Amino acid sequence: MVTQDIDVAVIGAGPAGLAAAIKAKEAGAEKVTIIERAEQPGGLLHQCIHNGFGLAYFNEDLTGPEYARRFIEKATDLKIDMQLESMVLDLTAAKNITVSSKKGLRTLHVKAVVLAMGCREKTRQQIMIPGTRPAGIFTAGTAQRYVNVEGYIPGKKIVILGSGDVGMIMARRLTLEGAKVEAVVEILPYIGGLIRNEVQCVHDFNIPLFLEHTVTEIFGLKRIEAVTIAKVDKNQEPITGTEKTIECDTLLTSVGLIPENELSLKAGIELDPITGGPFVNDMMETSIPGIFAGGNVVHVNDLVDNVTLESEVAGACAAGYAMGKVPPTKRKIGLKAGKNIRYIVPHTIGTEKEVTLSMRVREPAEKVKLRVGDILTKSLRVVKPSEMLKVNLTLEQLSKIEDRTNEVEVSCEKRG
Amino acid sequence: MAKETEIICIMCPLACRVTVTIDDEGTITGVANYLCKEGQKYAMAECKFPGRILTTTVLTEGSLRKLLPVRTDRPVPKEQLMESMRYLSEIKVKPPIKMGQIIASNIIGTGVDLVASDDLPV
């Protein structure tokens, strides 16, 4: 057992962890350590070889590896300690971190923690498709790793269930590599990912897109041989008589992501059942003082740029906590998800720190007015659950929150 | 005969279905069904030159990593993406390679270069 004198320990070296560590160091924390289980920093960005990253943060169109490289180089320049091939097995509320690596088992006692574990894909098991259990069923992200990192094509005739961004990106990637994508099947009446991916990954390659459809059965003993798809009604129940069988040797699932919070639960951090991530305040601090969180571990983002920005707040505030420079919060105002708002991050705000609210709507809607209590209204032409909404609250706007208010409602209603 | 093409705008989640009219000479004579200038601009550009940045991987030799991620430095005409992929499947690279280094010039005569989008250490 070894104890080290660490100011800020960051768990995970993906985009969230890198951004948090860099900001913590820049904010003055002396000893910043990132603990990462993989052999290299960068997280999932290594397998996301497509472009479209960095448009918001750098105003440049970068690929995943290019986006990662910028932060890896910066972290190296700042001499941030990077413990690779090191897996965190336990985290306690007292901020003791148990790490397993080739060196053995160690326990670090640290002043502040940033959780940056990202998220994981939902699997076939979590969506319960009936049928046999043959080989050839992968999550889209696993297939992405096979194709882009390991150099294997998972199959030649592919059906993709779900139209999340990774699913659509894999439809294009597999087509470019010579496979035939027979169908992208989406249970909702609209795609789950970004419009640019629908156009550039699905339409560009004339891949059949089945909206309001789902996979109702899987066939094949050793290897998947076919799936049955069917149209669904308003309650997402398959409609009898609309079934259609598609031959395939591979089924990819792109059916959603879940924040990875096993360690957070071990530490006793309170999780929001809607986001699947910790409840956080405007410093991205969880229910345990000194443990902060940023990126997809808090809520699933659609753009890495937002992961970076949010984790920078977590990193800077973790540094402040470690150095004992956090001003005591005078007020804690809860944000309530009102009409057509599914969730808001952070969950609580104060009035002395500018804050960016990230939120998602429940249903697509056009010509709406987004309202944050009495302090801000914003007209929007269109909102969709797949595209995160962001608004900044300035100190001036925050000062308008009345003294006795302890909850502000955020809503998104039709205009006029 | 003028021809009408429908372009789905990708500039915002609204995804306007913009109609672009093109005459026999290939000149754009009309743009309709867009809600903002971005949509008009995007649809016209997409009609004139439907190009895409091609991102893929090339095989490596003498490296622990099997593949190097690569990208084109400029958009490739959409209809030449598959041909570009067939050409790039023949390429093998050796380390060391730095991000941004040119891997292949003027691929299939498009005038577009292929560059490394990551380092490939020895």
mmCIF file of all heavy atoms in Angstrom, chain A residues 79-120:
data_model
loop_
_atom_site.group_PDB
_atom_site.id
_atom_site.type_symbol
_atom_site.label_atom_id
_atom_site.label_comp_id
_atom_site.label_asym_id
_atom_site.label_seq_id
_atom_site.Cartn_x
_atom_site.Cartn_y
_atom_site.Cartn_z
ATOM 1 N N LYS A 79 3.256 18.426 -18.107
ATOM 2 C CA LYS A 79 3.831 17.411 -17.210
ATOM 3 C C LYS A 79 2.790 16.820 -16.250
ATOM 4 O O LYS A 79 3.025 16.640 -15.053
ATOM 5 C CB LYS A 79 5.009 17.995 -16.411
ATOM 6 C CG LYS A 79 6.124 18.483 -17.317
ATOM 7 C CD LYS A 79 7.386 18.758 -16.537
ATOM 8 C CE LYS A 79 8.578 18.964 -17.435
ATOM 9 N NZ LYS A 79 8.370 20.038 -18.455
ATOM 10 N N ILE A 80 1.629 16.544 -16.806
ATOM 11 C CA ILE A 80 0.589 15.882 -16.006
ATOM 12 C C ILE A 80 0.964 14.405 -15.892
ATOM 13 O O ILE A 80 1.315 13.770 -16.880
ATOM 14 C CB ILE A 80 -0.794 16.091 -16.657
ATOM 15 C CG1 ILE A 80 -1.220 17.544 -16.473
ATOM 16 C CG2 ILE A 80 -1.836 15.130 -16.069
ATOM 17 C CD1 ILE A 80 -2.388 17.976 -17.292
ATOM 18 N N ASP A 81 0.915 13.904 -14.681
ATOM 19 C CA ASP A 81 1.276 12.502 -14.435
ATOM 20 C C ASP A 81 0.191 11.600 -15.024
ATOM 21 O O ASP A 81 -0.985 11.749 -14.701
ATOM 22 C CB ASP A 81 1.406 12.305 -12.916
ATOM 23 C CG ASP A 81 1.615 10.855 -12.549
ATOM 24 O OD1 ASP A 81 2.388 10.172 -13.254
ATOM 25 O OD2 ASP A 81 1.007 10.400 -11.559
ATOM 26 N N MET A 82 0.610 10.687 -15.897
ATOM 27 C CA MET A 82 -0.359 9.815 -16.556
ATOM 28 C C MET A 82 -0.064 8.376 -16.166
ATOM 29 O O MET A 82 0.953 7.826 -16.544
ATOM 30 C CB MET A 82 -0.219 10.014 -18.065
ATOM 31 C CG MET A 82 -1.390 9.593 -18.873
ATOM 32 S SD MET A 82 -2.430 10.950 -19.451
ATOM 33 C CE MET A 82 -1.343 11.857 -20.527
ATOM 34 N N GLN A 83 -0.937 7.777 -15.389
ATOM 35 C CA GLN A 83 -0.750 6.377 -14.997
ATOM 36 C C GLN A 83 -1.611 5.514 -15.907
ATOM 37 O O GLN A 83 -2.821 5.438 -15.749
ATOM 38 C CB GLN A 83 -1.138 6.187 -13.528
ATOM 39 C CG GLN A 83 -0.338 7.100 -12.615
ATOM 40 C CD GLN A 83 -0.478 6.742 -11.143
ATOM 41 O OE1 GLN A 83 -1.106 5.760 -10.777
ATOM 42 N NE2 GLN A 83 0.117 7.571 -10.300
ATOM 43 N N LEU A 84 -0.942 4.894 -16.911
ATOM 44 C CA LEU A 84 -1.663 4.084 -17.890
ATOM 45 C C LEU A 84 -1.708 2.630 -17.437
ATOM 46 O O LEU A 84 -0.998 2.234 -16.518
ATOM 47 C CB LEU A 84 -0.998 4.219 -19.265
ATOM 48 C CG LEU A 84 -0.929 5.657 -19.798
ATOM 49 C CD1 LEU A 84 -0.103 5.719 -21.059
ATOM 50 C CD2 LEU A 84 -2.323 6.224 -20.048
ATOM 51 N N GLU A 85 -2.526 1.847 -18.128
ATOM 52 C CA GLU A 85 -2.727 0.435 -17.780
ATOM 53 C C GLU A 85 -2.963 0.283 -16.269
ATOM 54 O O GLU A 85 -2.426 -0.611 -15.629
ATOM 55 C CB GLU A 85 -1.537 -0.406 -18.246
ATOM 56 C CG GLU A 85 -1.410 -0.421 -19.763
ATOM 57 C CD GLU A 85 -0.246 -1.262 -20.246
ATOM 58 O OE1 GLU A 85 0.905 -0.824 -20.044
ATOM 59 O OE2 GLU A 85 -0.480 -2.328 -20.819
ATOM 60 N N SER A 86 -3.706 1.214 -15.746
ATOM 61 C CA SER A 86 -4.001 1.250 -14.309
ATOM 62 C C SER A 86 -5.509 1.346 -14.142
ATOM 63 O O SER A 86 -6.140 2.254 -14.672
ATOM 64 C CB SER A 86 -3.347 2.473 -13.667
ATOM 65 O OG SER A 86 -1.950 2.426 -13.873
ATOM 66 N N MET A 87 -6.057 0.405 -13.440
ATOM 67 C CA MET A 87 -7.511 0.353 -13.318
ATOM 68 C C MET A 87 -7.939 0.697 -11.897
ATOM 69 O O MET A 87 -7.429 0.118 -10.935
ATOM 70 C CB MET A 87 -7.968 -1.062 -13.669
ATOM 71 C CG MET A 87 -9.438 -1.262 -13.501
ATOM 72 S SD MET A 87 -10.105 -1.951 -15.003
ATOM 73 C CE MET A 87 -11.740 -2.359 -14.450
ATOM 74 N N VAL A 88 -8.866 1.647 -11.799
ATOM 75 C CA VAL A 88 -9.389 2.003 -10.479
ATOM 76 C C VAL A 88 -10.419 0.952 -10.076
ATOM 77 O O VAL A 88 -11.394 0.717 -10.789
ATOM 78 C CB VAL A 88 -10.006 3.413 -10.487
ATOM 79 C CG1 VAL A 88 -10.639 3.719 -9.128
ATOM 80 C CG2 VAL A 88 -8.945 4.452 -10.817
ATOM 81 N N LEU A 89 -10.178 0.306 -8.958
ATOM 82 C CA LEU A 89 -11.095 -0.741 -8.496
ATOM 83 C C LEU A 89 -12.057 -0.222 -7.450
ATOM 84 O O LEU A 89 -13.140 -0.743 -7.274
ATOM 85 C CB LEU A 89 -10.298 -1.913 -7.901
ATOM 86 C CG LEU A 89 -9.332 -2.622 -8.845
ATOM 87 C CD1 LEU A 89 -8.634 -3.747 -8.113
ATOM 88 C CD2 LEU A 89 -10.059 -3.163 -10.063
ATOM 89 N N ASP A 90 -11.620 0.800 -6.716
ATOM 90 C CA ASP A 90 -12.494 1.299 -5.661
ATOM 91 C C ASP A 90 -12.266 2.782 -5.417
ATOM 92 O O ASP A 90 -11.156 3.291 -5.605
ATOM 93 C CB ASP A 90 -12.251 0.506 -4.366
ATOM 94 C CG ASP A 90 -13.397 0.684 -3.369
ATOM 95 O OD1 ASP A 90 -14.512 1.065 -3.814
ATOM 96 O OD2 ASP A 90 -13.185 0.465 -2.170
ATOM 97 N N LEU A 91 -13.337 3.434 -5.043
ATOM 98 C CA LEU A 91 -13.294 4.848 -4.702
ATOM 99 C C LEU A 91 -14.157 5.017 -3.461
ATOM 100 O O LEU A 91 -15.263 4.479 -3.396
ATOM 101 C CB LEU A 91 -13.864 5.679 -5.862
ATOM 102 C CG LEU A 91 -14.108 7.165 -5.606
ATOM 103 C CD1 LEU A 91 -12.790 7.917 -5.443
ATOM 104 C CD2 LEU A 91 -14.902 7.781 -6.760
ATOM 105 N N THR A 92 -13.628 5.745 -2.480
ATOM 106 C CA THR A 92 -14.429 5.960 -1.265
ATOM 107 C C THR A 92 -14.767 7.435 -1.111
ATOM 108 O O THR A 92 -14.142 8.302 -1.732
ATOM 109 C CB THR A 92 -13.662 5.525 0.004
ATOM 110 O OG1 THR A 92 -12.568 6.439 0.194
ATOM 111 C CG2 THR A 92 -13.129 4.116 -0.114
ATOM 112 N N ALA A 93 -15.757 7.692 -0.247
ATOM 113 C CA ALA A 93 -16.184 9.069 0.001
ATOM 114 C C ALA A 93 -15.054 9.883 0.632
ATOM 115 O O ALA A 93 -15.011 11.109 0.497
ATOM 116 C CB ALA A 93 -17.406 9.066 0.908
ATOM 117 N N ALA A 94 -14.107 9.195 1.295
ATOM 118 C CA ALA A 94 -12.974 9.895 1.903
ATOM 119 C C ALA A 94 -11.885 10.180 0.866
ATOM 120 O O ALA A 94 -10.788 10.633 1.214
ATOM 121 C CB ALA A 94 -12.409 9.066 3.044
ATOM 122 N N LYS A 95 -12.180 9.887 -0.392
ATOM 123 C CA LYS A 95 -11.277 10.115 -1.525
ATOM 124 C C LYS A 95 -10.018 9.249 -1.462
ATOM 125 O O LYS A 95 -8.905 9.702 -1.696
ATOM 126 C CB LYS A 95 -10.963 11.607 -1.679
ATOM 127 C CG LYS A 95 -12.211 12.399 -2.055
ATOM 128 C CD LYS A 95 -11.963 13.849 -2.272
ATOM 129 C CE LYS A 95 -11.953 14.674 -1.010
ATOM 130 N NZ LYS A 95 -13.280 14.796 -0.368
ATOM 131 N N ASN A 96 -10.226 7.979 -1.139
ATOM 132 C CA ASN A 96 -9.174 6.984 -1.283
ATOM 133 C C ASN A 96 -9.459 6.213 -2.562
ATOM 134 O O ASN A 96 -10.585 5.766 -2.783
ATOM 135 C CB ASN A 96 -9.171 6.023 -0.096
ATOM 136 C CG ASN A 96 -8.622 6.700 1.150
ATOM 137 O OD1 ASN A 96 -7.645 7.446 1.078
ATOM 138 N ND2 ASN A 96 -9.269 6.468 2.273
ATOM 139 N N ILE A 97 -8.442 6.073 -3.395
ATOM 140 C CA ILE A 97 -8.619 5.407 -4.683
ATOM 141 C C ILE A 97 -7.743 4.163 -4.709
ATOM 142 O O ILE A 97 -6.526 4.253 -4.528
ATOM 143 C CB ILE A 97 -8.213 6.351 -5.842
ATOM 144 C CG1 ILE A 97 -9.021 7.654 -5.780
ATOM 145 C CG2 ILE A 97 -8.418 5.679 -7.187
ATOM 146 C CD1 ILE A 97 -8.602 8.678 -6.811
ATOM 147 N N THR A 98 -8.365 3.005 -4.943
ATOM 148 C CA THR A 98 -7.590 1.762 -5.056
ATOM 149 C C THR A 98 -7.334 1.494 -6.529
ATOM 150 O O THR A 98 -8.263 1.432 -7.331
ATOM 151 C CB THR A 98 -8.360 0.583 -4.432
ATOM 152 O OG1 THR A 98 -8.764 0.967 -3.120
ATOM 153 C CG2 THR A 98 -7.503 -0.662 -4.382
ATOM 154 N N VAL A 99 -6.037 1.385 -6.869
ATOM 155 C CA VAL A 99 -5.637 1.228 -8.271
ATOM 156 C C VAL A 99 -4.902 -0.091 -8.442
ATOM 157 O O VAL A 99 -4.008 -0.418 -7.656
ATOM 158 C CB VAL A 99 -4.685 2.377 -8.705
ATOM 159 C CG1 VAL A 99 -4.381 2.293 -10.200
ATOM 160 C CG2 VAL A 99 -5.276 3.730 -8.364
ATOM 161 N N SER A 100 -5.268 -0.830 -9.494
ATOM 162 C CA SER A 100 -4.562 -2.059 -9.822
ATOM 163 C C SER A 100 -3.763 -1.830 -11.107
ATOM 164 O O SER A 100 -4.299 -1.319 -12.092
ATOM 165 C CB SER A 100 -5.576 -3.183 -10.025
ATOM 166 O OG SER A 100 -4.967 -4.261 -10.685
ATOM 167 N N SER A 101 -2.476 -2.181 -11.082
ATOM 168 C CA SER A 101 -1.657 -2.064 -12.286
ATOM 169 C C SER A 101 -0.576 -3.123 -12.221
ATOM 170 O O SER A 101 -0.545 -3.921 -11.283
ATOM 171 C CB SER A 101 -1.038 -0.672 -12.385
ATOM 172 O OG SER A 101 -0.014 -0.537 -11.422
ATOM 173 N N LYS A 102 0.323 -3.118 -13.208
ATOM 174 C CA LYS A 102 1.412 -4.095 -13.206
ATOM 175 C C LYS A 102 2.270 -3.977 -11.950
ATOM 176 O O LYS A 102 2.895 -4.924 -11.515
ATOM 177 C CB LYS A 102 2.291 -3.899 -14.443
ATOM 178 C CG LYS A 102 1.655 -4.464 -15.696
ATOM 179 C CD LYS A 102 2.516 -4.183 -16.899
ATOM 180 C CE LYS A 102 1.792 -4.567 -18.177
ATOM 181 N NZ LYS A 102 2.399 -3.941 -19.353
ATOM 182 N N LYS A 103 2.295 -2.769 -11.377
ATOM 183 C CA LYS A 103 3.084 -2.550 -10.159
ATOM 184 C C LYS A 103 2.421 -3.168 -8.930
ATOM 185 O O LYS A 103 3.001 -3.183 -7.858
ATOM 186 C CB LYS A 103 3.254 -1.048 -9.911
ATOM 187 C CG LYS A 103 4.157 -0.344 -10.910
ATOM 188 C CD LYS A 103 4.327 1.120 -10.482
ATOM 189 C CE LYS A 103 4.274 2.054 -11.676
ATOM 190 N NZ LYS A 103 3.887 3.412 -11.298
ATOM 191 N N GLY A 104 1.181 -3.605 -9.089
ATOM 192 C CA GLY A 104 0.457 -4.177 -7.955
ATOM 193 C C GLY A 104 -0.705 -3.294 -7.550
ATOM 194 O O GLY A 104 -1.138 -2.426 -8.304
ATOM 195 N N LEU A 105 -1.171 -3.541 -6.328
ATOM 196 C CA LEU A 105 -2.328 -2.805 -5.842
ATOM 197 C C LEU A 105 -1.857 -1.634 -4.980
ATOM 198 O O LEU A 105 -1.006 -1.801 -4.108
ATOM 199 C CB LEU A 105 -3.172 -3.772 -4.996
ATOM 200 C CG LEU A 105 -4.676 -3.589 -4.971
ATOM 201 C CD1 LEU A 105 -5.271 -3.636 -6.360
ATOM 202 C CD2 LEU A 105 -5.298 -4.664 -4.086
ATOM 203 N N ARG A 106 -2.411 -0.440 -5.276
ATOM 204 C CA ARG A 106 -2.017 0.729 -4.487
ATOM 205 C C ARG A 106 -3.266 1.468 -4.049
ATOM 206 O O ARG A 106 -4.286 1.420 -4.723
ATOM 207 C CB ARG A 106 -1.207 1.700 -5.348
ATOM 208 C CG ARG A 106 0.189 1.252 -5.678
ATOM 209 C CD ARG A 106 0.737 2.102 -6.808
ATOM 210 N NE ARG A 106 -0.016 1.887 -8.026
ATOM 211 C CZ ARG A 106 -0.213 2.805 -8.964
ATOM 212 N NH1 ARG A 106 0.278 4.020 -8.819
ATOM 213 N NH2 ARG A 106 -0.900 2.532 -10.050
ATOM 214 N N THR A 107 -3.145 2.189 -2.941
ATOM 215 C CA THR A 107 -4.229 3.084 -2.559
ATOM 216 C C THR A 107 -3.687 4.506 -2.514
ATOM 217 O O THR A 107 -2.666 4.770 -1.897
ATOM 218 C CB THR A 107 -4.826 2.698 -1.195
ATOM 219 O OG1 THR A 107 -5.344 1.380 -1.320
ATOM 220 C CG2 THR A 107 -5.965 3.622 -0.815
ATOM 221 N N LEU A 108 -4.353 5.382 -3.250
ATOM 222 C CA LEU A 108 -3.940 6.778 -3.271
ATOM 223 C C LEU A 108 -4.927 7.567 -2.431
ATOM 224 O O LEU A 108 -6.141 7.382 -2.557
ATOM 225 C CB LEU A 108 -3.969 7.332 -4.703
ATOM 226 C CG LEU A 108 -3.389 6.484 -5.829
ATOM 227 C CD1 LEU A 108 -3.611 7.191 -7.150
ATOM 228 C CD2 LEU A 108 -1.904 6.260 -5.602
ATOM 229 N N HIS A 109 -4.385 8.425 -1.600
ATOM 230 C CA HIS A 109 -5.290 9.345 -0.919
ATOM 231 C C HIS A 109 -5.123 10.702 -1.581
ATOM 232 O O HIS A 109 -4.023 11.231 -1.675
ATOM 233 C CB HIS A 109 -5.008 9.435 0.573
ATOM 234 C CG HIS A 109 -5.937 10.397 1.228
ATOM 235 N ND1 HIS A 109 -7.276 10.110 1.389
ATOM 236 C CD2 HIS A 109 -5.751 11.657 1.665
ATOM 237 C CE1 HIS A 109 -7.867 11.157 1.930
ATOM 238 N NE2 HIS A 109 -6.974 12.106 2.107
ATOM 239 N N VAL A 110 -6.200 11.263 -2.086
ATOM 240 C CA VAL A 110 -6.093 12.486 -2.876
ATOM 241 C C VAL A 110 -6.988 13.570 -2.293
ATOM 242 O O VAL A 110 -7.921 13.292 -1.546
ATOM 243 C CB VAL A 110 -6.467 12.220 -4.358
ATOM 244 C CG1 VAL A 110 -5.627 11.082 -4.920
ATOM 245 C CG2 VAL A 110 -7.939 11.892 -4.521
ATOM 246 N N LYS A 111 -6.666 14.836 -2.683
ATOM 247 C CA LYS A 111 -7.449 15.949 -2.142
ATOM 248 C C LYS A 111 -8.763 16.128 -2.901
ATOM 249 O O LYS A 111 -9.787 16.434 -2.315
ATOM 250 C CB LYS A 111 -6.613 17.229 -2.207
ATOM 251 C CG LYS A 111 -5.468 17.221 -1.203
ATOM 252 C CD LYS A 111 -4.700 18.535 -1.273
ATOM 253 C CE LYS A 111 -3.444 18.452 -0.421
ATOM 254 N NZ LYS A 111 -2.371 19.285 -0.983
ATOM 255 N N ALA A 112 -8.710 15.978 -4.229
ATOM 256 C CA ALA A 112 -9.936 16.117 -5.034
ATOM 257 C C ALA A 112 -9.921 15.091 -6.159
ATOM 258 O O ALA A 112 -8.853 14.685 -6.612
ATOM 259 C CB ALA A 112 -10.037 17.532 -5.609
ATOM 260 N N VAL A 113 -11.117 14.693 -6.568
ATOM 261 C CA VAL A 113 -11.255 13.671 -7.620
ATOM 262 C C VAL A 113 -12.107 14.246 -8.746
ATOM 263 O O VAL A 113 -13.064 14.982 -8.488
ATOM 264 C CB VAL A 113 -11.954 12.401 -7.063
ATOM 265 C CG1 VAL A 113 -12.137 11.345 -8.152
ATOM 266 C CG2 VAL A 113 -11.175 11.819 -5.889
ATOM 267 N N VAL A 114 -11.754 13.915 -9.998
ATOM 268 C CA VAL A 114 -12.672 14.184 -11.111
ATOM 269 C C VAL A 114 -13.036 12.841 -11.738
ATOM 270 O O VAL A 114 -12.159 12.095 -12.170
ATOM 271 C CB VAL A 114 -12.073 15.118 -12.186
ATOM 272 C CG1 VAL A 114 -13.083 15.332 -13.316
ATOM 273 C CG2 VAL A 114 -11.658 16.459 -11.593
ATOM 274 N N LEU A 115 -14.315 12.550 -11.760
ATOM 275 C CA LEU A 115 -14.800 11.331 -12.412
ATOM 276 C C LEU A 115 -14.908 11.617 -13.910
ATOM 277 O O LEU A 115 -15.569 12.577 -14.320
ATOM 278 C CB LEU A 115 -16.170 10.943 -11.861
ATOM 279 C CG LEU A 115 -16.287 10.784 -10.346
ATOM 280 C CD1 LEU A 115 -17.741 10.545 -9.959
ATOM 281 C CD2 LEU A 115 -15.400 9.647 -9.856
ATOM 282 N N ALA A 116 -14.240 10.804 -14.709
ATOM 283 C CA ALA A 116 -14.276 10.998 -16.166
ATOM 284 C C ALA A 116 -14.287 9.632 -16.844
ATOM 285 O O ALA A 116 -13.515 9.357 -17.748
ATOM 286 C CB ALA A 116 -13.073 11.837 -16.608
ATOM 287 N N MET A 117 -15.188 8.771 -16.375
ATOM 288 C CA MET A 117 -15.214 7.393 -16.878
ATOM 289 C C MET A 117 -16.018 7.220 -18.146
ATOM 290 O O MET A 117 -16.055 6.133 -18.710
ATOM 291 C CB MET A 117 -15.765 6.441 -15.799
ATOM 292 C CG MET A 117 -14.871 6.262 -14.578
ATOM 293 S SD MET A 117 -15.261 7.482 -13.301
ATOM 294 C CE MET A 117 -16.739 6.824 -12.572
ATOM 295 N N GLY A 118 -16.697 8.273 -18.600
ATOM 296 C CA GLY A 118 -17.427 8.177 -19.860
ATOM 297 C C GLY A 118 -18.678 7.326 -19.759
ATOM 298 O O GLY A 118 -19.317 7.251 -18.704
ATOM 299 N N CYS A 119 -19.035 6.675 -20.862
ATOM 300 C CA CYS A 119 -20.261 5.878 -20.882
ATOM 301 C C CYS A 119 -20.034 4.572 -21.630
ATOM 302 O O CYS A 119 -18.992 4.369 -22.233
ATOM 303 C CB CYS A 119 -21.399 6.677 -21.515
ATOM 304 S SG CYS A 119 -21.055 7.197 -23.195
ATOM 305 N N ARG A 120 -21.005 3.691 -21.560
ATOM 306 C CA ARG A 120 -20.926 2.386 -22.225
ATOM 307 C C ARG A 120 -22.168 2.193 -23.090
ATOM 308 O O ARG A 120 -23.224 2.761 -22.802
ATOM 309 C CB ARG A 120 -20.868 1.257 -21.187
ATOM 310 C CG ARG A 120 -19.712 1.360 -20.207
ATOM 311 C CD ARG A 120 -18.362 1.037 -20.835
ATOM 312 N NE ARG A 120 -17.281 1.334 -19.912
ATOM 313 C CZ ARG A 120 -16.631 2.490 -19.873
ATOM 314 N NH1 ARG A 120 -16.957 3.469 -20.699
ATOM 315 N NH2 ARG A 120 -15.657 2.683 -19.020
#
